């Protein structure tokens, strides 16, 4: 889909590394594949909030514990604010880079995603051949 545009394009095939999260927690900024129960599908999103952090969106800017997060990868400023959300232990808050066209943790039906639902991190685009590139 278009939720990660312009970082990833609809129809691209990715290489997903599935071992790191056996040994360490996800890091902010990583692009991950996770299964989202509410959507009943695998989704590709970016890790924005980490366990114990409070994430808020005001005036198109994301704040982590009250400090503005620099996000040079998002497509355009966000249209909607988000009330503060504290990320539970062993969970992450995920958002698509195309924030105005992404169903992600900002929706209370989706919410924060437990580590157990994370399938791996995207490390490269492998298809189409003309678009091969590393991610991260």
């Amino acid at each position: 889909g278009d939720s990660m545009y312009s970082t990833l394009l609809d129809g691209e095939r990715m290489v997903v590394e599935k071992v790191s999260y056996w040994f360490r927690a996800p890091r902010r900024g990583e692009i991950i594949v996770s299964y989202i129960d509410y959507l009943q599908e695998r989704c590709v999103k970016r890790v924005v909030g980490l366990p114990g952090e409070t994430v808020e969106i005001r005036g198109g800017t994301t704040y982590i514990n009250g400090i503005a997060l620099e996000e040079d990868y998002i497509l355009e400023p966000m249209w909607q604010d988000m009330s503060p959300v504290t990320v539970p232990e062993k969970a992450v808050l995920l958002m698509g880079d195309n924030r105005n066209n992404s169903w992600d943790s900002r929706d209370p039906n989706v919410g924060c995603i437990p580590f157990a639902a994370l399938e791996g991190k995207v490390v490269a685009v492998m298809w189409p051949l003309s678009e091969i590139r590393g991610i991260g």
Side-chain angles (χ1 to χ4, degrees):
D2 293 326
S3 72
M4 286 299 293
Y5 185 79
S6 66
T7 305
L8 298 169
L9 306 177
D10 189 25
E12 289 183 327
R13 300 294 183 250
M14 297 159 283
V15 175
V16 178
E17 185 269 305
K18 297 183 175 190
V19 177
S20 291
Y21 298 151
W22 294 352
F23 303 103
R24 67 164 180 85
R27 296 178 181 143
R28 184 180 345 279
E30 290 181 332
I31 298 173
I32 58 91
V33 174
S34 94
Y35 186 81
I36 297 179
D37 285 331
Y38 180 74
L39 302 177
Q40 294 290 295
E41 64 183 27
R42 284 180 180 85
C43 295
V44 180
K45 306 290 180 194
R46 188 178 297 270
V47 175
V48 175
L50 301 173
E53 294 181 332
T54 299
V55 182
E56 177 182 12
I57 300 170
R58 282 184 276 120
T61 300
T62 303
Y63 293 87
I64 306 290
N65 297 330
I67 299 170
L69 181 63
E70 186 175 321
E71 299 182 288
D72 56 357
Y73 43 78
I74 65 172
L75 182 63
E76 60 190 4
M78 291 170 276
W79 298 334
Q80 293 184 331
D81 289 347
M82 180 183 82
S83 297
V85 172
T86 300
V87 181
E89 290 302 311
K90 297 189 179 181
V92 288
L93 188 139
L94 304 176
M95 292 188 214
D97 288 359
N98 186 359
R99 299 285 164 82
N100 297 316
N101 188 26
S102 178
W103 207 338
D104 52 37
S105 292
R106 293 171 294 165
D107 185 306
N109 292 309
V110 174
C112 294
I113 306 299
F115 287 176
L118 305 181
E119 297 184 5
K121 69 177 184 169
V122 176
V123 295
V125 170
M126 59 176 268
W127 186 264
L129 294 176
S130 61
E131 297 299 322
I132 290 177
R133 64 189 182 282
I135 299 293

